[in-house]
Amino acid sequence: MDQKKLEDELIFFNDNVTNNDTLKDKPESKYKVLIVDDEEEVHKLTELVLKDFVFEGRKLDFLNAYSAEDAKLILKAHADICLALLDVVMESDDAGLKLVQYIREEIQNTFVRIILRTGQPGIAPEREIIANYDINDYKEKTELTSSKMFTSITAALRSYRDLVTIYNRKNRLRKVIAATSSLFKPKSILDFAEDILSQFKDLLDIKGKSGFFYAVSTSENSDVVSDYTIVYSAGNLSEARGKVLAEVLDKRSMDLIDKAEKTKEVLIDDNIFIGYFETTNGNRNIFYLENGESFQDIDNDIFGLFLKNVAIAFDNLALNIEVSETQKSVVYMLGEAVEKRSHETGSHVKRMTEISCMLGKALGFSDKDIEYMIIAAPLHDIGKIAIADSILHKPGKLTFDEFEIIKTHTTEGYNILKSSNRPALKIAAAIAYQHHEKWNGKGYPLGLSGEKIHPFARIVALADVVDALGHKRCYKNAWRFEDILELVKSERGEHFEPRVVDAFLDNIEQYKQIYRNGV
């Protein structure tokens, strides 16, 4: 028998009933008992004695083998055998004992309960067999009266039930631990909700019709249930996103959520599972799962533990988002401060960053790279803090010497940022240094060309120019959109990388929106 097959069968066993996946759907399913004996009469007598046996509402289903080899074939075909009644002496004096070793050692089935039966106790002494073989009971065939058989079978099935219960709970706990490890990976709130619902679906073994959603309260009033807004949904409830609970659920479900919120515990009612948790900042959260059939065999303590881990992960995620947003705000404010010192509008850095991200996405940059762009691009002109006001604020055309001084803002910006080991700031240093380089090698300060220019700097070069031309500066008026477009086309392969120009032209409608709205 395949050990993996055995485990797959057991994972669906009901902790309280001890049966397989079929058992959950068919209450009349029976416990499988394997009778291994070379005497036909023993099979008939055993079945006769046990024909009315019932354990926890289920009868027995007998499988018959007349040799150890027959038994091996049956064990391979039926991974969910609960009990084996084995004769010791069959095709050989120790055939039953070898079969025990096969079950425990070769196919590693530690769940099936084994009762050895013998008509020749002298061949296999009881004390020696009990000590050396992993069996659960050892009986002489003459001992197996109806009452003793009932006692032995009941004890064996109880032992089997308890083993499967332990296995199932251990497996669920393993799943919870595995699921918890994924919770702490960086992600967005929506990705987090999707991941949690996926984990719940796996932990609850949900099949068939089902619906899921994650909702968060928008009110601090703990007596109000209807104020929850659904931020993520899937399955039969996929259309619920953005709605409040009262728009989606019936009174029964609303009452259950109210109860879960008041008890602050996992709640299961027939086909509905509700997980409730609160975060340290006071947010109230609901995970709601509606199954096509009743939930069975749910361990509230394990799911309660999982929800506690969810709450911790959610707090960490919220903190990370807050830190990230704070970092972005600081970067924007720093970039805007530099622009305002140049008498430019502070919105330039936001628009330019928006255009840069648009181009990065069009060129296939990863989500992580786009995050770096959001932090790095606003710092492209940070070196202007080293330029004298008399030059920055000059309304007319700069002299050659003044322009040479202006050009140093690239080097100054690089020197400010280059010492950081943070990936985003390393990119920011490259952008500050190279965003005035040109594809044809005629830019400054290094005269780099083509692929030698940092990819982020190539994007920012175009984004910076088109936004600067589209808005009024102290030394010029805003250009018309059509004129900006013509310049970009004419500078393809000259000032700007051809691929960046193509990405800009392919997304011109999105640029128009940024151009008109000013971000």
Side-chain angles (χ1 to χ4, degrees):
M1 185 200 315
D2 186 351
Q3 177 68 9
K4 179 66 168 61
K5 179 182 176 185
L6 171 65
E7 293 182 356
D8 289 343
E9 292 282 353
L10 289 173
I11 194 60
F12 296 114
F13 270 52
N14 185 301
D15 284 353
N16 298 318
V17 183
T18 330
N19 216 318
N20 60 13
D21 191 37
T22 306
L23 182 62
K24 295 175 75 173
D25 301 325
K26 299 179 180 180
E28 69 276 11
S29 294
K30 300 175 181 180
Y31 293 107
K32 292 182 180 180
V33 175
L34 175 62
I35 303 173
V36 187
D37 201 294
D38 57 356
E39 297 181 32
E40 177 67 33
E41 288 302 315
V42 173
H43 287 265
K44 291 181 178 179
L45 181 60
T46 302
E47 291 184 29
L48 179 65
V49 170
L50 297 175
K51 67 182 180 69
D52 295 323
F53 181 90
V54 176
F55 178 69
E56 294 186 342
R58 287 161 174 77
K59 293 185 176 181
L60 304 181
D61 180 22
F62 297 104
L63 303 172
N64 301 95
Y66 296 89
S67 68
E69 292 305 312
D70 288 344
K72 290 179 182 180
L73 295 175
I74 294 174
L75 285 162
K76 287 181 179 179
H78 298 269
D80 54 343
I81 292 173
C82 306
L83 171 63
L85 301 171
L86 306 186
D87 187 14
V88 175
V89 181
M90 292 181 286
E91 59 262 50
S92 65
D93 288 349
D94 60 352
L97 299 179
K98 288 181 178 179
L99 183 58
V100 172
Q101 290 177 319
Y102 170 81
I103 293 171
R104 298 302 194 214
E105 297 173 13
E106 188 167 333
I107 65 174
Q108 297 183 340
N109 186 336
T110 58
F111 292 93
V112 61
R113 302 295 82 197
I114 299 174
I115 297 177
L116 275 181
R117 304 192 295 181
T118 183
Q120 304 174 54
I123 294 178
E126 179 177 350
R127 183 183 293 272
E128 179 184 333
I129 298 303
I130 291 292
N132 297 327
Y133 292 88
D134 185 3
I135 63 174
N136 305 98
D137 206 349
Y138 184 79
K139 298 290 184 183
E140 293 184 32
K141 292 181 180 179
T142 55
E143 291 183 80
L144 292 174
T145 62
S146 178
S147 60
K148 289 188 176 182
M149 183 79 80
F150 175 87
T151 301
S152 295
I153 301 298
T154 299
L157 290 180
R158 280 178 178 158
S159 174
Y160 181 83
R161 175 201 62 195
D162 294 342
L163 278 176
V164 172
T165 296
I166 293 169
Y167 174 82
N168 280 343
R169 289 179 178 170
K170 179 181 177 181
N171 187 71
R172 290 191 188 93
L173 187 58
R174 185 170 63 244
K175 281 188 173 184
V176 166
I177 293 170
T180 299
S181 66
S182 74
L183 298 182
F184 295 92
K185 296 177 181 178
K187 61 193 77 179
S188 68
I189 292 292
L190 284 181
D191 289 340
F192 179 79
E194 182 178 7
D195 190 29
I196 295 301
L197 288 172
S198 175
Q199 301 290 1
F200 270 124
K201 184 177 179 181
D202 183 45
L203 290 170
L204 291 165
D205 187 35
I206 292 176
K207 298 183 178 71
K209 288 186 175 182
S210 56
F212 326 88
F213 69 69
Y214 161 66
V216 61
S217 174
T218 55
S219 169
E220 295 182 1
N221 186 349
S222 60
D223 296 326
V224 177
V225 172
S226 59
D227 70 335
Y228 281 88
T229 299
I230 297 170
V231 297
Y232 178 83
S233 61
N236 290 349
L237 294 169
S238 59
E239 301 299 319
R241 191 177 304 189
K243 298 179 180 179
V244 296
L245 296 189
E247 296 179 82
V248 177
L249 301 179
D250 57 20
K251 185 178 185 303
R252 175 200 169 211
S253 296
M254 293 293 287
D255 288 344
L256 289 173
I257 288 177
D258 183 54
K259 182 178 179 182
E261 185 181 52
K262 287 177 179 175
T263 60
K264 303 187 187 307
E265 294 178 350
V266 170
L267 190 151
I268 299 103
D269 188 288
D270 191 25
N271 68 324
I272 292 176
F273 173 95
I274 299 170
Y276 173 86
F277 72 92
E278 294 180 0
T279 58
T280 54
N281 62 5
N283 282 341
R284 295 174 292 137
N285 303 266
I286 288 287
F287 285 101
Y288 177 97
L289 296 93
E290 190 174 281
N291 200 18
E293 57 190 50
S294 296
F295 288 113
Q296 296 186 24
D297 183 29
I298 303 299
D299 193 322
N300 285 25
D301 290 340
I302 287 180
F303 281 97
L305 172 64
F306 184 58
L307 276 173
K308 288 180 181 178
N309 289 331
V310 168
I312 294 170
F314 192 91
D315 278 335
N316 288 340
L317 175 62
L319 180 59
N320 287 337
I321 291 174
E322 176 65 23
V323 170
S324 177
E325 291 302 314
T326 300
Q327 288 174 336
K328 292 174 186 176
S329 296
V330 170
V331 167
Y332 276 130
M333 286 188 288
L334 184 58
E336 288 175 359
V338 172
E339 293 299 324
K340 288 177 180 178
R341 181 171 177 269
S342 305
H343 286 188
E344 315 293 358
T345 170
S347 296
H348 167 65
V349 293
K350 289 185 177 180
R351 291 191 304 268
M352 187 275 301
T353 301
E354 186 78 4
I355 296 168
S356 297
C357 290
M358 175 193 80
L359 295 173
K361 290 175 183 177
L363 291 167
F365 279 37
S366 68
D367 291 342
K368 176 61 72 176
D369 283 339
I370 297 302
E371 285 294 312
Y372 289 153
M373 182 72 82
I374 292 172
I375 295 174
L379 298 174
H380 68 293
D381 275 341
I382 190 68
K384 285 184 178 179
I385 62 173
I387 307 300
D389 287 349
S390 60
I391 297 176
L392 282 178
H393 301 164
K394 185 175 180 179
K397 187 176 180 179
L398 297 174
T399 66
F400 176 83
D401 290 338
E402 288 171 337
F403 186 60
E404 288 299 311
I405 292 172
I406 280 286
K407 287 163 64 174
T408 63
H409 81 278
T410 55
T411 305
E412 294 290 348
Y414 173 72
N415 289 334
I416 291 170
L417 299 168
K418 69 179 182 180
S419 60
S420 174
N421 290 321
R422 307 305 301 174
L425 292 181
K426 281 182 173 293
I427 292 171
I431 290 173
Y433 204 18
Q434 301 178 22
H435 70 285
H436 282 292
E437 300 289 354
K438 295 183 179 181
W439 187 254
N440 61 12
K442 296 179 181 180
Y444 66 86
L446 302 172
L448 300 177
S449 63
E451 300 287 340
K452 294 178 182 178
I453 304 170
H454 195 284
F456 282 75
R458 299 175 218 163
I459 290 174
V460 171
L462 188 145
D464 188 30
V465 168
V466 297
D467 188 73
L469 293 177
H471 295 83
K472 185 178 180 179
R473 295 287 178 98
C474 65
Y475 51 86
K476 71 167 189 67
N477 291 321
W479 283 31
R480 294 187 312 141
F481 172 77
E482 293 77 10
D483 295 333
I484 295 172
L485 198 58
E486 284 304 314
L487 174 73
V488 171
K489 291 178 180 178
S490 68
E491 292 293 332
R492 184 181 187 275
E494 295 297 327
H495 189 159
F496 308 121
E497 178 186 3
R499 286 197 323 128
V500 176
V501 171
D502 294 342
F504 178 76
L505 297 176
D506 289 342
N507 293 272
I508 202 67
E509 292 303 318
Q510 189 175 344
Y511 166 70
K512 285 180 181 179
Q513 195 69 27
I514 299 169
Y515 177 81
R516 290 168 185 159
N517 296 343
V519 184

